[in-house]
Amino acid sequence: MKHLNDVQTRIELQTPIPEALAPEIERRLYFVSPEITRFHLVVKDDEVHGVVLFSAEPLDHAALTAKVDYMVNNDVRKQRVTPARSVWTSPHRRTSHGDIFDLLEQSGAVTEVGEGQVALGEPLLSLFTYFDKAVCDLLAEDFDPREYRYPTLIRTKTLETAGYTKSFPQHLMFVTRLRNDLDVYRDFQDSYAADSLDSGILDSCGNVDYCLPPTMCYHTFHQYGGRTLEADKLHVVTARGKSFRFEAAYATTLERLWDFTIREIVFMGSREDVLNARERFMRKVFDFVETLGMSGFCEVGNDPFFCGTDTSERIWSQRLMELKYELRLHVAPEQTIAVGSFNYHDDLFGKTFGIDHGEDGPVRSGCVGFGLERLVYAFLCQYGLDSAQWPAQVRSAVVGSQQ
């Protein structure tokens, strides 16, 4: 949200960086300081020379400069500039409805109920069901998946084992509780009988053993941890569940929720089988998007590694080896959002979770994930709220389900 009275703080970078790396700065800036309410980059001659930060109150310029310098130098500057490589582009070009979220709010179909939290009604619920079923049906055409429903909470130890706590600390959302001690309960009741809760309550809490899960696949790797899977076989697991990632001020519309739903598919087997499965399923998804007449593309992507000692190297490796593809659909004429990703982990999770593949050592794995709220949002941005304008296959499935 823009505030006219916000204070501006301009920070010059130690040396400019290529403008091509600007998105890598933008996706990290709000995590530099909670006081930042908005920002823009200072770009000149195809280079980023600085950033202008806005805040409700004046900020310590020296301290903020040190934080920005660290983030840029550690996470961004050492990244190699590589041209975006697309692996698929839709032949369709649709004019997007840029005000769709406002229209959904006006109709009562969505309601913002908290930071990064949105309540959904019709027609989103029926579209949600349609797209989830469509993904599962595509999967079932070539594979025999096992489906699970996982608990909401996930052990913090599982995320530590997966390397998530070191790679993406900015997204972690911990769960805690009051220590099971009578004195703690009594003190809590006395202290907060009349006052509202504040961060001081954490002094009475006893653990951070659990987190809200950032995605579904970590549940799967924990579930299969320590097992030896049948060799000469591709193992396919799918699950749909709530996922949670702290998004700071990035949370907006249905694009970057703190609380969202993922349909995830995990492939486990040999390197050849996993890569072939990823490619085959990816192409099926592209065909599906084309049959819907939607506009978008799929390109090599990278994860938002943050603050690690090897962040730039990991991003370069991920892009060079094409370990991640992102399916991006238009939500405005010059704006896309990632609605799905197709990932290959090699033997990373086979090793860390002790999952073997017969006598061939650690299993290789890959995963495919779809953010269902984003997928529905992109569809509505491209087709609008009038179901008469929707593709026949969507209209028959969704409109019929509401009757």
Side-chain angles (χ1 to χ4, degrees):
M1 180 181 297
K2 294 184 178 180
H3 302 281
L4 295 178
N5 296 323
D6 277 355
V7 179
Q8 295 187 33
T9 303
R10 177 166 175 146
I11 296 174
E12 300 295 332
L13 300 187
Q14 292 175 338
T15 56
I17 68 169
E19 186 181 3
L21 294 177
E24 293 292 329
I25 297 178
E26 293 173 337
R27 72 195 303 189
R28 291 169 171 81
L29 265 177
Y30 280 131
F31 295 113
V32 167
S33 171
E35 283 77 27
I36 299 172
T37 57
R38 56 193 173 101
F39 63 82
H40 67 78
L41 304 188
V42 180
V43 179
K44 180 182 178 182
D45 298 328
D46 299 324
E47 292 182 321
V48 179
H49 289 254
V51 298
V52 177
L53 307 176
F54 297 84
S55 58
E57 301 293 338
L59 301 178
D60 184 325
H61 188 274
L64 196 57
T65 298
K67 289 183 178 183
V68 171
D69 283 343
Y70 179 86
M71 180 272 289
V72 171
N73 293 335
N74 185 77
D75 290 6
V76 181
R77 187 179 300 281
K78 292 180 288 186
Q79 291 187 37
R80 306 185 193 185
V81 177
T82 56
R85 194 179 92 77
S86 177
V87 296
W88 168 82
T89 301
S90 173
H92 305 287
R93 296 291 181 271
R94 297 197 57 81
T95 301
S96 301
H97 301 257
D99 59 347
I100 198 67
F101 190 79
D102 291 338
L103 295 175
L104 288 169
E105 280 192 307
Q106 293 168 17
S107 70
V110 301
T111 305
E112 292 190 77
V113 295
E115 292 181 89
Q117 297 177 299
V118 177
L120 306 181
E122 292 293 0
L124 287 87
L125 295 179
S126 294
L127 285 169
F128 198 93
T129 300
Y130 168 78
F131 280 107
D132 186 45
K133 183 178 184 301
V135 169
C136 291
D137 288 347
L138 290 176
L139 183 68
E141 289 179 5
D142 291 332
F143 306 101
D144 183 22
R146 300 190 69 173
E147 181 161 10
Y148 291 96
R149 186 179 69 179
Y150 292 119
T152 297
L153 303 184
I154 191 167
R155 289 184 180 274
T156 305
K157 184 64 177 177
T158 299
L159 297 185
E160 290 175 341
T161 301
Y164 193 90
T165 52
K166 289 186 177 181
S167 298
F168 312 107
Q170 75 276 28
H171 290 316
L172 284 169
M173 298 183 72
F174 292 99
V175 175
T176 190
R177 57 177 173 77
L178 295 173
R179 289 193 301 275
N180 51 318
D181 181 291
L182 178 62
D183 292 336
V184 170
Y185 296 139
R186 292 177 64 185
D187 288 345
F188 170 78
Q189 291 174 321
D190 291 341
S191 299
Y192 296 98
D195 299 329
S196 60
L197 301 183
D198 57 35
S199 60
I201 191 61
L202 294 177
D203 294 336
S204 300
C205 296
N207 68 81
V208 286
D209 295 341
Y210 287 87
C211 287
L212 295 172
T215 189
M216 291 293 100
C217 66
Y218 297 129
H219 282 296
T220 301
F221 294 126
H222 174 69
Q223 174 189 4
Y224 281 80
R227 297 191 193 183
T228 298
L229 304 184
E230 182 181 349
D232 301 322
K233 178 181 178 181
L234 179 70
H235 302 262
V236 184
V237 175
T238 186
R240 188 184 88 176
K242 280 290 188 178
S243 298
F244 304 83
R245 297 174 195 170
F246 174 67
E247 285 286 5
Y250 292 108
T252 176
T253 67
L254 295 178
E255 297 176 34
R256 299 185 71 167
L257 299 172
W258 292 13
D259 173 348
F260 59 101
T261 313
I262 284 182
R263 164 60 66 179
E264 190 120 23
I265 300 143
V266 176
F267 300 114
M268 294 180 287
S270 68
R271 181 181 188 277
E272 181 180 9
D273 284 347
V274 170
L275 286 174
N276 285 342
R278 180 179 71 156
E279 179 70 16
R280 188 159 69 251
F281 185 64
M282 188 167 66
R283 295 296 167 183
K284 278 187 171 292
V285 171
F286 298 161
D287 289 343
F288 170 69
V289 174
E290 289 188 23
T291 64
L292 294 182
M294 296 187 70
S295 174
F297 56 88
C298 185
E299 66 180 7
V300 176
N302 63 268
D303 289 313
F305 300 109
F306 192 66
C307 279
T309 57
D310 58 350
T311 292
S312 295
E313 291 79 4
R314 296 180 69 180
I315 290 174
W316 167 244
S317 175
Q318 197 175 37
R319 296 186 69 87
L320 178 67
M321 299 174 67
E322 298 193 1
L323 302 181
K324 183 183 190 71
Y325 298 117
E326 284 189 335
L327 174 62
R328 306 190 66 90
L329 299 180
H330 285 96
V331 294
E334 300 299 326
Q335 180 185 355
T336 62
I337 56 172
V339 302
S341 65
F342 308 86
N343 311 284
Y344 178 62
H345 317 127
D346 199 30
D347 62 359
L348 173 63
F349 295 127
K351 285 181 176 178
T352 56
F353 285 92
I355 309 171
D356 288 332
H357 189 225
E359 297 180 354
D360 297 331
V363 74
R364 269 61 177 175
S365 67
C367 71
V368 176
F370 297 94
L372 295 177
E373 286 87 354
R374 286 187 177 192
L375 192 51
V376 168
Y377 183 63
F379 175 83
L380 290 174
C381 284
Q382 294 195 24
Y383 276 101
L385 300 184
D386 182 3
S387 60
Q389 304 302 315
W390 297 353
Q393 66 203 80
V394 181
R395 187 171 62 251
S396 61
V398 172
V399 176
S401 69
Q402 298 178 19
Q403 295 177 345

